[in-house]
Amino acid sequence: MTSYQTTQTMKPATAAKKLGVYLQATPAEFQEGVVSRNELSALQADPPGWLLELRRNGPHPRPVVAAKLGVSIAGLARGGVTEALTTEQIDALKKESPEWLQQERATQAEVRKETVRIKEKNAARGDQPRRPRS
């Protein structure tokens, strides 16, 4: 019996998400085909010019925009940002620093603090010896 190994492939949308780029800004051949795991690894290891350009200047997908602004994706939506933004647009937003952005950054900072607090609490709980249940 001969075993055949099939090549694992993914949709272009999945590959774009893994690469951190906006699918609609990628070349047509990328959008229309399927991407194998080997191709994805090659793109990550040695990115072509178009990928470097997209990562540098955008347009960026919402998760990348949110990370660059220091807010959550939901915070972007609350601020009215629903489309992909370029690096230039993100920098302009940072410079403008509208009230919604300041508020969402503060909210995100609180969420991070709470996450650290819970993690520390759980770590302290893990250090204590467990009592047997009765």
Side-chain angles (χ1 to χ4, degrees), residues 36-85:
S36 72
R37 291 208 178 267
N38 291 339
E39 290 169 334
L40 180 68
S41 295
L43 285 171
Q44 289 171 326
D46 186 23
W50 64 265
L51 182 54
L52 291 172
E53 181 66 21
L54 278 178
R55 285 180 173 168
R56 188 177 315 115
N57 297 320
H60 303 287
R62 286 183 306 153
V64 174
V65 172
K68 285 180 179 263
L69 290 173
V71 299
S72 66
I73 296 172
L76 278 180
R78 285 190 292 269
V81 178
T82 56
E83 70 283 342
L85 298 179

Side-chain angles (χ1 to χ4, degrees), residues 112-128:
R112 286 188 185 115
K113 273 194 235 174
E114 182 65 9
T115 302
V116 168
R117 186 191 68 78
I118 290 170
K119 197 178 259 187
E120 288 171 351
K121 180 180 174 185
N122 289 342
R125 188 181 297 159
D127 291 344
Q128 297 172 354

Side-chain angles (χ1 to χ4, degrees), residues 8-30:
Q8 289 184 328
T9 59
M10 61 191 82
K11 294 178 183 176
T14 304
K17 186 181 273 189
K18 289 180 182 282
L19 292 169
V21 295
Y22 186 58
L23 177 63
Q24 286 77 6
T26 60
E29 57 270 10
F30 182 85

